[in-house]
Every structure is written in C-alpha cells, then in structure tokens.
Amino acid sequence: MANLIDGKLISTQIKDELKEEVAELKKKGIDGCLAVIQVGNDLHHQCMCATRKKACEYVGIKSLSYELAEETTQEEILELIEKLNADASVNGILCQLPLPKHIDEDAVIDAIDPKKDVDGFSPQSVGAMVIGKPGFLPCTPAGIIALLKRSNIDIDGKSCVVVGRSNIVGKPMSLLMLRENATVTVCHSHTKDLKDVCKNADILIVAIGKPKFIDASYVKDGAVVIDVGIHRNAENKLCGDVDFDSVVSKVSHITPVPGGVGPMTIAMLMSNCVEAMKR
Ligand code: NDP
C-alpha cells in the first residue's frame, strides 16, 4: 500500500516555522502585508481568498483584500497596482487569476513590482528561476519540491515526468525538478504515447486539468505520484487529475486530493511573503 504524502501536515509545519520567523522580524520592526486583488465574484476565487486570509492570520501577516467588480477596467486595476507598488507598508501583491476576458493578464502581471511579486509569475521572477538566481518561486511547484523533500523522497537522478506545461504549474515544475537534478520529460496535449512516457517515471507529476485522467495503466510499480489537479465531481466531492483508487495500490507514495498539493500552495505563498519582508 502506498504512503500518503500528507500536504496538510507538512504545510502546517512550514507555516509554524514561518510564524516564528515573522515574530522575530516583528521584533525588529518589520511587518508583513499581502495585498490580494480579486476581480469578479467567482465562488472558487472567494474560497481561495478566505483560505489565504486565514493563512496570513495564522502566520502573523496583515492581509488587504481588494474585491473589484467584474466590469472593472484594466486601467483601474493597473492604477491600483501602481498605488500598491508605491506603498512601502505592502510587501506582497497578488492578483487572482484567471482575470475576466477584457483584461490582459500579462499586462497586469508585468505591472506588479518584481520585489513584491509573491506569486512568482513576473518575467523577472521566471527568468531568475530559469538561470537559478534568487527570486520568488511560483507557489504550487515550489510546494511540490518541499513536499518531496520533507517526505524524504530522493529526486537526484530520478526520471521525472511532468504532465502539463502551463506557465503556473507544468513549466516551472519541470525547471525546479531539473534544478534538483532529476531527468525531466514534459508532456502536453501533443505528446504521443503519453501512457508509455508516464510509465517510465520514477516521479510522475500530473497537472492536466482533467478529472481522474491518469489511472493505473499510466503508472510504473513503485512510482511516486503527485496530483496537482483539483475538481469537484457530480456528488460535490473533490478529486484530482489522478484516479486515486486505481493507482494507490501500485505506487510507493501519492498525494491525496484534497490534502496533498493544495495546502502547500498556500504555505509557499506565505513563505514568499516572509521572503519579501526580509528583503
Ligand atoms: P492548464 O489548463 O493551464 O494546463 C493543462 C496542461 O495539460 C496543458 O499544458 C495541456 O497541454 C495539458 N493537457 C491537457 N490535456 C492533455 C492530454 N490529454 N494529454 C496531455 N496533456 C494534456 O492547467 P493548470 O496547469 O493551470 O492546472 C492543472 C490542474 O491543476 C487543474 O486541475 C488546476 O485546477 C490544478 N491546480 C491546482 C493548484 C493547487 O494548488 N493544487 C494550483 C494550480 C492549478 P497543452 O499545453 O498542449 O494545451
């Protein structure tokens, strides 16, 4: 039977460590403040905002929430970002994605001061990650590296397959695994023989956005499986991109959904906020 990788437990350990760091920084007169911009009233975004707010409270960082109407213009968002960039009391800024279609997401991401880019999505942050310079790492991939390391899973020299190449998960994930000396293969919707490629993986990371897509036929015996996907099924229950029940008896380690990657994304956001405070 597989070992469950407990993202809830590991994320709590990380937040506890950060809480201590924040207390130390406060003693030196350094306060943390994360500003979150949300456009429209998508229910999932609201849940994310509530979870972030709770994490900020837990760690000891102030959070500011800007809940803007769906019809807010790009200029209005850019003006707000400019104001937050100039506000010395704000050290982290993030804009909940995706944004409504009339707004150019790249323009919004570019507008955030790289020193406050705690999501790690700005071209400067991405460039620094690619060449291995210090900078903010994108939260979900960084959280997966922390999950693997804190679960004592060896990455060095392992064959890693990442399914998905989005800018926020798949691409940065492959770069971070490369940085840890894995031999990395990235798959996407044009990949031929996906099953055969996945079956070679010692570590299989799935960020495909399709419920229960990966079943036991894609997985090598004893592999480590990281499921990034989050979906709500017809019974309103959460599930991932991996068919957990099909795969669990075949693998050595697996992340559950919920309670795997999800909590780590928030913990790494808090970690980036603390990093921003230190800078
Ligand atoms: P995207 O939709 O942006 O990317 C999906 C990727 O999967 C694309 O690169 C796409 O390929 C690839 N893909 C789609 N279908 C196939 C297929 N049949 N075979 C191979 N590859 C395929 O999704 P995200 O990366 O943003 O998110 C992925 C999942 O992770 C979602 O379920 C999302 O909800 C979840 N998520 C969870 C987070 C967490 O904190 N737990 C954080 C972020 C995301 P192509 O590029 O060719 O189109």
Side-chain angles (χ1 to χ4, degrees):
M1 188 69 175
N3 293 301
L4 279 192
I5 300 177
D6 191 341
K8 222 172 153 191
L9 179 78
I10 296 173
S11 67
T12 305
Q13 287 166 353
I14 292 173
K15 284 187 289 181
D16 283 338
E17 291 162 16
L18 294 170
K19 196 177 182 168
E20 284 181 22
E21 270 196 77
V22 168
E24 286 304 314
L25 287 166
K26 276 190 176 165
K27 280 185 203 162
K28 294 180 193 156
I30 303 167
D31 287 312
C33 176
L34 169 67
V36 176
I37 303 168
Q38 184 197 330
V39 187
N41 49 7
D42 179 286
L43 200 63
H44 172 66
H45 289 182
Q46 281 171 3
C47 283
M48 287 294 291
C49 274
T51 312
R52 269 192 221 106
K53 223 173 181 168
K54 229 169 112 187
C56 282
E57 270 168 30
Y58 187 85
V59 169
I61 293 171
K62 182 176 166 189
S63 66
L64 299 174
S65 179
Y66 295 86
E67 289 162 28
L68 309 179
E70 179 87 21
E71 55 277 10
T72 306
T73 64
Q74 181 165 319
E75 287 64 36
E76 285 167 326
I77 298 172
L78 295 179
E79 261 173 45
L80 172 60
I81 292 175
E82 213 173 295
K83 200 181 98 196
L84 295 169
N85 282 341
D87 184 341
S89 70
V90 172
N91 28 41
I93 304 171
L94 84 75
C95 191
Q96 178 70 54
L97 303 178
L99 287 163
K101 295 219 171 351
H102 65 280
I103 294 164
D104 177 356
E105 273 185 9
D106 286 343
V108 170
I109 293 169
D110 282 359
I112 297 172
D113 182 340
K115 291 195 287 300
K116 301 188 180 188
D117 171 37
V118 287
D119 248 346
F121 293 162
S122 76
Q124 286 89 336
S125 303
V126 174
M129 175 183 62
V130 171
I131 56 174
K133 295 270 184 216
F136 294 114
L137 297 177
C139 302
T140 302
I144 291 170
I145 297 288
L147 266 187
L148 292 169
K149 288 188 170 174
R150 288 183 183 236
S151 304
N152 296 317
I153 293 165
D154 214 9
I155 306 176
D156 199 306
K158 293 288 159 63
S159 151
C160 172
V161 173
V162 179
V163 190
R165 58 172 168 180
S166 71
N167 286 343
I168 60 166
V169 187
K171 266 185 221 161
M173 188 70 249
S174 58
L175 284 161
L176 293 186
M177 290 302 276
L178 187 61
R179 211 193 240 197
E180 297 297 330
N181 297 322
T183 302
V184 183
T185 307
V186 186
C187 300
H188 44 78
S189 65
H190 297 247
T191 299
K192 296 203 173 19
D193 306 320
L194 180 67
K195 220 174 246 195
D196 289 340
V197 179
C198 289
K199 268 186 155 168
N200 273 323
D202 301 316
I203 302 173
L204 178 62
I205 303 176
V206 189
I208 194 173
K210 298 203 159 116
K212 299 191 181 185
F213 185 92
I214 299 288
D215 64 19
S217 65
Y218 286 77
V219 176
K220 177 166 93 172
D221 279 332
V224 173
V225 175
I226 305 293
D227 188 354
V228 185
I230 297 188
H231 312 274
R232 221 167 253 288
N233 67 14
E235 296 93 53
N236 209 28
K237 273 184 70 180
L238 289 174
C239 71
D241 289 348
V242 175
D243 184 348
F244 183 92
D245 293 336
S246 156
V247 163
V248 67
S249 59
K250 208 174 174 187
V251 299
S252 70
H253 295 79
I254 186 165
T255 53
V257 178
V261 173
M264 292 302 290
T265 299
I266 299 284
M268 297 325 278
L269 174 66
M270 295 301 107
S271 172
N272 279 349
C273 289
V274 173
E275 193 55 40
M277 285 169 75
K278 288 191 211 158
R279 288 177 196 184

